Amino acid sequence: MKRHTARTLFAAGGLAVVTTLALTGCGQGFTDTTPSQSGSAAPGGLTSSDDGLTILIGSSGDAETKAVKDAVAAWSAESGTKAEVVVATDLAQQLSQGFAAGSPPDLFYLSTDQLAGYADNGSLQAYGDMLANKSDFYESLVSNFTYDGTFYCAPKDFSTLQLIINEGLWEDAGLTDADIPTTWDQLATVAKKLTTDNTTGLVFGGEYARVGAFMAQAGGRLVSEDGTKAEANSDANVEALTYVQQHLKDGTFAYAADVGAGWGGEAFGKELGAMTIEGNWITGALGDFPDVKAKVVELPAGPAGKGTLQFTNCWGMAADSPNQQGALKLVEYLTSAEQQLAFSKAFGPMPSVQSAAEQWKTDNPDLVAFLDGSAYAQGVPTNKGAADVVTDFNAQLGSLATGDPKAILDSVQSNLEAIVG
């Protein structure tokens, strides 16, 4: 599997990850002070035993698999605790099946949209406040994995969306660095100049996980920051969708599917789009298009200023793990600045800890815009059932060019009100 495929599923389709499956797995749900069947209570209320650890991951490709396996093996040799990494073919399904069978992995990749379901049914051990490096994580990432006031799990890395420009096509259109757009009007202007018979100025995925960046720039969001109120049909969101619709209609913007591409990165690489909106996972995908030179800049500000979306997974810990203390130590090792920088070099994600930021920028000078986005990025809704609402929203966004933005958002508002609050 190529890296961009997995990253795109996480960033877009991952919002619709089989929520039903995620909610079927019921762990035994030990409280903080109850020992598991094969472990005893350890300091902090975590179980402790001599049992080895099983770590379930959803890999984006060989580079990620090797990097995680090598890191876990190094920790295992140092700590004396056996640990095995299992690469899932269908992470959501295998995780759900493991909980249902009463034999979940000790640690696992957990997406934001799965957190509420597993937290509600007692499958997760909340260990966030026990992390020695808790204060090092970006506050917005901690918020992504906080449910009902409890910080559940350590963000393992993250990505933001920014604007990717084809430098060759940019120069061919007579554009320079002075033309890099910083406002919606400027974006529309350069998109028009870049649009030809064979290339659309700006091409991106036709789903909330891309269009939502415009909503953020207008000052909108689907759910209030504290997660207690549906805000889908706000004036800001209507303004954002109306802006996108206008330029879908005039042909200077297009969805990837409408130009025959599977996602924005493919459209960009094939020069079907001169610009795209994607995350830092695109860097690996562009290896398939060596003749295309890409420039990464921050997305232009909208009526409310800068805005983008961020995507992340955490290291989930099973409530039924007999060796949670060992699992906690492994998570602290995997989320250290040194190890996250090694992961970044191996397969591209941005470190979730602030102490790694300056070194990451030094190592990746052409990608700094992605990390700069952390200061104003929104996370996707984490409310229980939100993934299903977003799936429906995505279906409606597919016909935005000919639809009614307010009607679409009213429908999303109604669906969100049924699950929020």
Side-chain angles (χ1 to χ4, degrees):
M1 183 188 302
K2 293 186 184 296
R3 181 154 69 87
H4 67 266
T5 303
R7 291 290 179 188
T8 304
L9 289 173
F10 163 61
L15 293 171
V17 173
V18 215
T19 304
T20 302
L21 284 172
L23 301 183
T24 57
C26 292
Q28 298 303 308
F30 298 110
T31 64
D32 281 353
T33 55
T34 303
S36 72
Q37 293 175 351
S38 56
S40 59
L46 299 180
T47 59
S48 179
S49 73
D50 293 329
D51 290 26
L53 301 175
T54 299
I55 302 95
L56 182 68
I57 70 171
S59 180
S60 58
D62 293 343
E64 180 169 1
T65 297
K66 183 179 186 304
V68 176
K69 285 188 173 182
D70 286 351
V72 170
W75 175 84
S76 179
E78 181 181 312
S79 67
T81 300
K82 292 182 179 180
E84 177 188 12
V85 175
V86 177
V87 180
T89 54
D90 186 325
L91 179 62
Q93 184 175 31
Q94 287 174 240
L95 185 58
S96 175
Q97 290 171 342
F99 278 117
S103 55
D106 301 274
L107 289 174
F108 42 88
Y109 285 8
L110 184 70
S111 60
T112 53
D113 63 298
Q114 293 177 302
L115 176 67
Y118 280 132
D120 272 351
N121 68 24
S123 296
L124 297 181
Q125 172 64 43
Y127 68 88
D129 288 335
M130 304 175 196
L131 289 161
N133 58 342
K134 175 187 174 183
S135 62
D136 200 10
F137 293 102
Y138 289 97
E139 185 177 344
S140 62
L141 297 178
V142 171
S143 178
N144 285 162
F145 294 107
T146 297
Y147 179 68
D148 278 351
T150 300
F151 177 31
Y152 270 84
C153 48
K156 72 179 191 69
D157 51 40
F158 78 113
S159 305
T160 66
L161 298 176
Q162 295 295 4
L163 185 68
I164 322 297
I165 294 171
N166 181 313
E167 291 198 75
L169 296 178
W170 187 265
E171 292 172 3
D172 290 346
L175 298 168
T176 69
D177 283 353
D179 298 301
I180 291 173
T182 59
T183 67
W184 279 5
D185 286 346
Q186 291 172 4
L187 179 64
T189 296
V190 296
K192 183 176 181 179
K193 289 183 178 180
L194 290 164
T195 298
T196 67
D197 290 341
N198 302 313
T199 304
T200 303
L202 176 63
V203 178
F204 49 91
E207 66 272 322
Y208 162 68
R210 300 299 182 275
V211 178
F214 292 101
M215 294 163 60
Q217 292 154 21
R221 50 198 316 139
L222 288 181
V223 177
S224 61
E225 192 168 2
D226 63 5
T228 62
K229 183 180 179 183
E231 298 182 349
N233 63 352
S234 66
D235 291 344
N237 287 338
V238 173
E239 183 175 14
L241 263 58
T242 300
Y243 171 80
V244 173
Q245 181 187 64
Q246 175 187 347
H247 297 295
L248 290 173
K249 285 182 174 180
D250 69 23
T252 60
F253 290 8
Y255 288 157
D258 294 336
V259 299
W263 66 297
E266 181 185 358
F268 184 85
K270 292 181 176 179
E271 298 195 327
L272 300 171
M275 300 182 291
T276 191
I277 298 171
E278 282 296 337
N280 42 291
W281 52 80
I282 196 175
T283 56
L286 291 181
D288 295 337
F289 306 99
D291 295 332
V292 174
K293 189 175 181 182
K295 185 181 186 70
V296 181
V297 300
E298 289 184 82
L299 283 163
K306 292 182 179 182
T308 189
L309 300 182
Q310 71 180 20
F311 308 95
T312 181
N313 283 326
C314 79
W315 288 106
M317 184 187 296
D320 287 0
S321 170
N323 191 6
Q324 294 166 343
Q325 192 72 12
L328 177 66
K329 291 178 181 177
L330 175 54
V331 169
E332 290 173 342
Y333 176 88
L334 295 174
T335 58
S336 66
E338 180 181 8
Q339 187 54 58
Q340 289 206 52
L341 287 166
F343 284 153
S344 179
K345 184 176 181 179
F347 60 96
M350 293 191 300
S352 59
V353 289
Q354 299 172 77
S355 59
E358 291 309 312
Q359 185 61 53
W360 189 88
K361 289 181 178 181
T362 298
D363 294 343
N364 301 276
D366 296 334
L367 305 179
V368 168
F370 288 122
L371 190 56
D372 286 345
S374 65
Y376 51 84
Q378 285 184 17
V380 300
T382 58
N383 305 73
K384 186 176 179 180
D388 291 333
V389 176
V390 170
T391 299
D392 180 72
F393 186 24
N394 289 342
Q396 295 190 69
L397 283 173
S399 58
L400 176 61
T402 57
D404 179 344
K406 181 65 162 59
I408 290 172
L409 291 167
D410 282 344
S411 172
V412 179
Q413 178 75 13
S414 179
N415 290 337
L416 283 173
E417 286 176 348
I419 65 169
V420 175

